[in-house]
Amino acid sequence: MKHAIASLRFSLDEGGAAYYQQLMTQIQQGIVSGELSVGDKLPSSRALAITLGVSRSTTSKAYEHLVAEGILLSEEKRGVFVAAQPIVRQAKREEDKIVVPPAEPAPQWTFDSGVDVDVFPNKEWAASMRRSWLAPDPAVLQGQYHTGLPELKVAIVDYLYRVRGLSCVPEQIIVTAGSRDSLMLLHHALSCLALPPDSLDSSVGESALGKIAWWAEDPTYPPIREVLSQQGPLSFIPVDDEGALLVPTKDATQQVTNVALLTPNRQYPLGISMSSLRRQQWLQRLQSRTQNWWLIEDDYDNEFVYQGRVDVPFMQTASLHKDAIDRTFFIGSFSKVLFRGLRLGFIVSPQGHIAQLNESQRTIGFSASLPIQPAVADFMHRGGFDRHINRMRRHYRLKRDALLTILTEQLALWCEWQKPQGGMHILLEIKPDWLQAREDIKWDREIAQDLVKEGVVLSPITRHFSISYQRQGFVLGFSGSSIATMRQSINVLKKWFLDHNE
């Protein structure tokens, strides 16, 4: 039995249709083109999700739709196969032929701000997995740790104190299935906290939850914007050179709980750190008796600082102010430091809201993989995690420097950039004088559309803005891409500027 999907090359565009729809389209195109034949077995939804770096629900949904349409066939205990007479087959008569547009060529080069899995310590990780399952905890097998494995919570507390300077205790840690899961859990918990005390009980339904007004930075990471929009109305906080501005309170009557998701230590994608003055202003807002604001601090890649000191988390600063710390949460993820397929993150909750978060976790269900947590805990306790972070910090710094050299050699005439002191991406901006000499359009999107035809995928800055864009250019991830790939991509981008230099 062959697994023919290995011959296909998938490309999931974050700016396109829903991922499951893109996946459905590409599987159907594979059948029409002959790359997938009748009877070919597809990988399990879990295996495909890990390969593509998406959630299992995405691949399951794609498979379920194609099975319902008769294109795929699901057999219990055997797997998913291409159906004997798929709907997308070629019709017999010329006039009945289904016209299917040819599949776009799969992108060859991209700027990836993810993990470089080529240098992942496979042997150390395998040893941790083996040790952690020699004598497994019965409570793990029975799924009893609803907020996370105790040993992993202890390891996270130690790591946050040593690496990030954040003091907390294991009870404050809630292990999640990543940032998306963390935000959904916080939405439920904060909705409960927004209700009057006498209305809270274990039977609170979604329709009875308190009103939440979500606020995101502008610009921000597009998938985060999508997640928050699904939770309700979403408003935006402009960002200047000192960080997120203080916007007017949305509901002065305090009937709405305002929740701001911020990246204070390194704003995404601009890469700036929030100034001391701006931090103090946000602290004062959180302590205000006349305003109803809460803050979620997203600490997405602050393990990787190449020069200078590591900024203290906002939550640690807030710990000196009782009212502020009661309204501040901290979220982190292991996907940026270990590997995407891990799908493991965590929340650090204020002491006063641990019970509510635990209750919300029981209500909406536990999504984080419990069987993998003993391996992560062993990896951290035995020093493998720290050694890996230190290696990757050096490795990513070299990649950053290589990309800076390539940019200086190839794009100095048309673009400008700053040397980032940390992180996993560089913000490449098109020079204002180049833009001013041309029509007022989103040139970065135009360029990205042209370059995808050449096999180069770029992330335009304007897609990160929601209200009005002030900059144009590209977010160039360097950590997950090879130097050769980055050089080739920059060469194609340079050629575009040369061809449009009139």
Side-chain angles (χ1 to χ4, degrees), residues 20-316:
Y20 82 93
Q21 293 175 331
Q22 296 183 49
L23 185 56
M24 287 174 57
T25 298
Q26 292 176 53
I27 291 175
Q28 292 181 80
Q29 289 173 343
I31 294 172
V32 172
S33 68
E35 293 177 273
L36 286 175
S37 304
V38 172
D40 280 348
K41 183 177 182 180
L42 280 69
S44 68
S45 59
R46 183 186 300 276
L48 184 58
I50 293 174
T51 300
L52 299 178
V54 298
S55 67
R56 188 183 179 188
S57 62
T58 296
T59 53
S60 296
K61 193 172 183 179
Y63 280 179
E64 288 168 3
H65 277 268
L66 293 174
V67 168
E69 294 175 12
I71 296 172
L72 299 181
L73 176 67
S74 177
E75 297 184 14
E76 188 175 357
K77 296 184 179 180
R78 293 192 65 230
V80 178
F81 303 83
V82 177
Q85 291 184 329
I87 294 174
V88 295
R89 65 188 182 279
Q90 297 288 345
K92 293 181 180 179
R93 295 185 303 169
E94 184 71 25
E95 59 269 28
D96 291 336
K97 283 187 177 179
I98 299 172
V99 179
V100 178
E104 292 186 0
Q108 298 174 342
W109 304 297
T110 185
F111 289 92
D112 186 359
S113 60
V115 176
D116 188 345
V117 295
D118 290 339
V119 291
F120 185 74
N122 296 313
K123 291 183 178 179
E124 280 191 279
W125 175 253
S128 288
M129 293 189 69
R130 183 172 58 253
R131 279 192 300 266
S132 64
W133 277 92
L134 287 175
D137 182 345
V140 171
L141 300 179
Q142 296 171 4
Q144 294 181 359
Y145 297 124
H146 296 292
T147 61
L149 183 74
E151 291 85 354
L152 179 57
K153 291 187 176 188
V154 171
I156 292 173
V157 167
D158 177 61
Y159 150 73
L160 287 175
Y161 181 73
R162 289 184 298 99
V163 178
R164 299 294 295 113
L166 177 61
S167 297
C168 55
V169 295
E171 290 74 21
Q172 292 178 258
I173 305 295
I174 294 89
V175 179
T176 68
S179 296
R180 181 186 295 265
D181 186 40
S182 295
L183 292 174
M184 293 178 65
L185 176 57
L186 283 168
H187 177 268
H188 187 279
L190 288 169
S191 298
C192 292
L193 291 170
L195 290 169
D198 58 358
S199 67
L200 288 174
D201 58 57
S202 59
S203 62
V204 170
E206 288 295 326
S207 61
L209 294 176
K211 294 181 179 179
I212 297 266
W214 283 98
W215 296 81
E217 294 171 321
D218 196 30
T220 192
Y221 185 45
I224 288 292
R225 186 171 60 224
E226 178 184 343
V227 171
L228 295 183
S229 296
Q230 294 171 357
Q231 309 304 318
L234 179 62
S235 301
F236 298 97
I237 302 173
V239 177
D240 64 12
D241 291 339
E242 293 191 72
L245 291 162
L246 276 77
V247 293
T249 298
K250 196 162 191 175
D251 193 315
T253 66
Q254 297 192 16
Q255 307 216 344
V256 172
T257 296
N258 296 284
V259 182
L261 176 64
L262 304 183
T263 51
N265 280 331
R266 184 163 40 255
Q267 201 280 333
Y268 188 90
L270 303 182
I272 61 175
S273 296
M274 185 178 288
S275 69
S276 297
L277 175 61
R278 190 63 52 79
R279 283 179 179 243
Q280 290 301 318
Q281 292 172 340
W282 274 100
L283 284 171
Q284 292 170 10
R285 163 158 285 186
L286 296 177
Q287 297 175 82
S288 173
R289 299 290 183 181
T290 61
Q291 303 185 62
N292 191 13
W293 279 83
W294 300 67
L295 187 146
I296 300 173
E297 177 179 9
D298 184 0
D299 196 66
Y300 65 95
D301 70 355
N302 286 295
E303 291 83 2
F304 304 115
V305 175
Y306 312 124
Q307 282 90 29
R309 63 181 179 82
V310 178
D311 287 329
V312 175
F314 185 92
M315 188 178 199
Q316 183 62 29

